Amino acid sequence: MSSTATKPEMGSNEEEAELRRGPWTLEEDSLLIHCIALHGEGRWNMLAKTAGLKRTGKSCRLRWLNYLKPDIKRGNLTPQEQLLILELHSKWGNRWSKIAQHLPGRTDNEIKNYWRTRVQKQARQLNIESGSDRFIDAVRCFWMPRLLQKIEQNSSSSSSSSSSVINMNSENSLSLPQGEFTDIAANHTSTTTTTYNNNNYNLNFPDHCSLHLQEPSSEISDKPTSTALIPQPLENYNNNNVWFNNPVQDHSYGMEGLNLEPFSSRTESNNYGIPQLDYNCQSSESDQWVLSSMGEYSLWNLDDM
DNA sequence: AAAAGACTCAACCGCGGAGAC
DNA sequence: CGTCTCCGCGGTTGAGTCTTT
């Protein structure tokens, strides 16, 4: 195996000197699973010894929580899950374990990796410091609506006649239509994939930012489209409208030209002030988005997320 | 087909909090 | 109150894999 023995940091005895590191073997996995089945989770150092594993308790805990635990979900994050991550991260920042509590079956490690590899990558490409106001604006004004659109598309394709309208309710939270969504509901009573209850799942937007999706006008395209509106004006925001459309033939793949200037005029640093926007969202097959802002076009590729 | 670069994600590390002594 | 151990969290690393040239 490629794993190596390691010397313990404190070097107190021979047992510790034989501690293993690196990838886990099948045998180690089954030892750990068996031992947890007998004794339950917790007391990881004891568990490691009981199981006869030459691993630290920490390592055992990590292996169990991030990989072996039976209810762990595999596969790509769904748009719903991505949306929830964005929303919760805007609330709590890098509190990965807290965020993970609201995504049953997903681990903090997985969410952290998602954030670093996808979201922060986008930020880098846009020359935005992740976590900055501009970045938060970009997340809220572009990525979240796009994910909502994906959700809507999934919803309408899986349940043909049900409502595909996503509405804001009076508390400025977002109610998603019922559909065949996997279990991202924050309620942990269900461990199986369920149709989630939109009474339980709301996305909270700041007061000045409401959003809803409307049915597209039918003559534009027969592809799924939506219009998202963020109607509240910001007091000291100028009149520049930023809006999406989809001149599909634009094949410039860089995103550095994305113009976030209209978002940088906020006066308060800790609100998620979103300017008055009126943007048409129309997906292309390649899922590449073009932002039109004051005559400049640039591409916003959400598949990377 | 091979090399280089980019990406993913499992695993490790260091730190801080909690609890026992 | 101080020290020690355990546990959990967030940050980081690096091997393996995938994609591009």
Side-chain angles (χ1 to χ4, degrees):
Chain A
M1 252 333 268
S2 60
S3 60
T4 57
T6 183
K7 290 181 181 176
E9 285 172 13
M10 299 302 168
S12 59
N13 60 43
E14 283 182 14
E15 249 180 44
E16 285 178 349
E18 292 173 11
L19 284 176
R20 286 169 51 80
R21 293 173 57 189
W24 281 62
T25 64
L26 276 176
E27 190 187 359
E28 287 177 311
D29 281 348
S30 48
L31 279 172
L32 183 59
I33 290 168
H34 181 68
C35 198
I36 288 174
L38 288 176
H39 302 103
E41 295 178 41
R43 305 205 292 177
W44 295 104
N45 283 336
M46 179 76 80
L47 207 64
K49 281 178 189 167
T50 308
L53 288 162
K54 293 185 170 64
R55 297 274 184 175
T56 63
K58 246 180 172 179
S59 181
C60 293
R61 175 183 164 274
L62 204 68
R63 183 63 177 172
W64 174 252
L65 293 178
N66 287 344
Y67 198 82
L68 297 175
K69 211 174 173 182
D71 56 1
I72 286 176
K73 250 198 257 177
R74 300 277 160 207
N76 293 335
L77 292 162
T78 65
Q80 290 93 335
E81 288 172 319
Q82 293 176 43
L83 183 61
L84 190 54
I85 290 169
L86 295 180
E87 167 64 16
L88 295 179
H89 188 275
S90 74
K91 259 189 196 166
W92 298 325
N94 296 356
R95 304 285 306 277
W96 306 118
S97 62
K98 192 170 181 179
I99 293 170
Q101 287 171 9
H102 292 264
L103 288 103
R106 301 296 187 181
T107 68
D108 55 353
N109 213 29
E110 190 175 11
I111 293 167
K112 186 168 55 181
N113 281 333
Y114 164 73
W115 189 265
R116 290 188 59 80
T117 58
R118 313 287 176 82
V119 181
Q120 289 196 337
K121 183 186 120 191
Q122 295 281 336
R124 276 198 307 275
Q125 288 176 336
L126 293 169
N127 263 338
I128 309 174
E129 190 181 338
S130 73
S132 66
D133 290 342
R134 281 159 60 93
F135 177 70
I136 292 165
D137 285 341
V139 167
R140 288 190 167 261
C141 295
F142 301 118
W143 293 336
M144 292 175 93
R146 180 65 187 97
L147 288 167
L148 283 168
Q149 191 200 16
K150 277 192 176 180
I151 292 167
E152 186 200 18
Q153 285 171 9
N154 292 346
S155 166
S156 57
S157 66
S158 65
S159 58
S160 56
S161 63
S162 68
S163 165
S164 59
V165 178
I166 297 174
N167 291 315
M168 296 300 298
N169 64 24
S170 57
E171 287 87 32
N172 280 339
S173 61
L174 190 65
S175 300
L176 297 173
Q178 290 199 325
E180 296 296 312
F181 301 141
T182 49
D183 53 350
I184 59 171
N187 119 33
H188 289 266
T189 57
S190 168
T191 57
T192 59
T193 297
T194 59
T195 296
Y196 65 73
N197 177 347
N198 62 12
N199 291 327
N200 292 338
Y201 181 60
N202 287 316
L203 289 173
N204 297 311
F205 280 71
D207 290 344
H208 51 274
C209 173
S210 66
L211 184 153
H212 69 276
L213 298 178
Q214 298 174 332
E215 284 300 300
S217 58
S218 57
E219 71 272 15
I220 296 173
S221 163
D222 53 6
K223 289 176 188 170
T225 60
S226 297
T227 300
L229 300 173
I230 301 181
Q232 278 86 348
L234 259 189
E235 277 180 17
N236 47 17
Y237 182 66
N238 63 29
N239 287 327
N240 293 329
N241 277 344
V242 179
W243 52 287
F244 283 107
N245 63 13
N246 184 33
V248 189
Q249 311 316 324
D250 185 336
H251 292 298
S252 66
Y253 283 73
M255 295 195 285
E256 51 284 345
L258 177 65
N259 188 338
L260 288 168
E261 203 49 45
F263 304 140
S264 59
S265 59
R266 287 205 317 279
T267 53
E268 293 177 37
S269 63
N270 65 345
N271 75 26
Y272 295 152
I274 293 181
Q276 178 169 344
L277 295 178
D278 183 352
Y279 46 91
N280 262 319
C281 305
Q282 179 175 356
S283 65
S284 66
E285 286 177 8
S286 61
D287 230 349
Q288 290 151 359
W289 278 43
V290 178
L291 169 69
S292 164
S293 174
M294 296 181 291
E296 293 182 22
Y297 290 86
S298 57
L299 202 67
W300 185 270
N301 187 344
L302 279 124
D303 271 353
D304 285 351
M305 295 186 75

